[in-house]
Amino acid sequence: MAASVLRWLALVMGVTCLLIGLEHLATGEALFPDMGEPGATADSQARFFGAVFAGYGLAWILAARRDPIPANVIRFLAGIMLLGAVGRFLSIAVHGWPHPFVLALTALEVLLPPVYLALADADEKQARVVTS
């Protein structure tokens, strides 16, 4: 059961990040809430990080398609998400509170990594039981 939950969550995370990343790559900073007047530098950064986020999503998808899902890859990807949340907290400390939508994203980036970390080795454990 835990292995199938892990596979489903990793796949949903991957597809979501891939689509969001591609959207940011295509639109730049246009859909970011509360960004103010667009500029070339901010738009360039938004599109670059959109591509990086799409790659992050692809990494989740590739992990979800492995059999068994490698626990070390799930831990690594969850750690990256948690590191992103740390970046958001640093921004809050320096610049104050962002748009409420960004706060919701921050909550997800804090709450989801422990779930992934708890499930990380579920598929590998199931594979060991099946082969023994």
Side-chain angles (χ1 to χ4, degrees):
M1 167 81 168
S4 61
V5 169
L6 173 62
R7 188 170 308 279
W8 183 84
L9 284 174
L11 189 57
V12 168
M13 176 65 73
V15 169
T16 302
C17 293
L18 176 62
L19 292 175
I20 291 169
L22 291 175
E23 181 273 325
H24 288 313
L25 179 63
T27 64
E29 65 178 31
L31 295 179
F32 282 70
D34 198 26
M35 287 289 283
E37 185 64 31
T41 301
D43 185 74
S44 176
Q45 284 294 95
R47 290 177 196 270
F48 173 82
F49 286 117
V52 171
F53 201 58
Y56 177 69
L58 186 58
W60 277 103
I61 292 168
L62 293 173
R65 293 175 47 110
R66 299 273 305 270
D67 192 24
I69 298 171
N72 60 339
V73 173
I74 296 300
R75 288 184 188 108
F76 180 76
L77 293 171
I80 291 172
M81 183 184 299
L82 198 53
L83 188 59
V86 169
R88 292 199 194 268
F89 284 120
L90 289 171
S91 180
I92 290 169
V94 172
H95 295 286
W97 296 101
H99 189 276
F101 181 71
V102 175
L103 291 175
L105 293 175
T106 305
L108 288 173
E109 293 158 355
V110 169
L111 296 173
L112 285 176
V115 173
Y116 283 111
L117 293 172
L119 294 171
D121 62 352
D123 204 31
E124 288 181 348
K125 283 181 180 178
Q126 182 177 321
R128 281 192 296 267
V129 169
V130 170
T131 59
S132 10

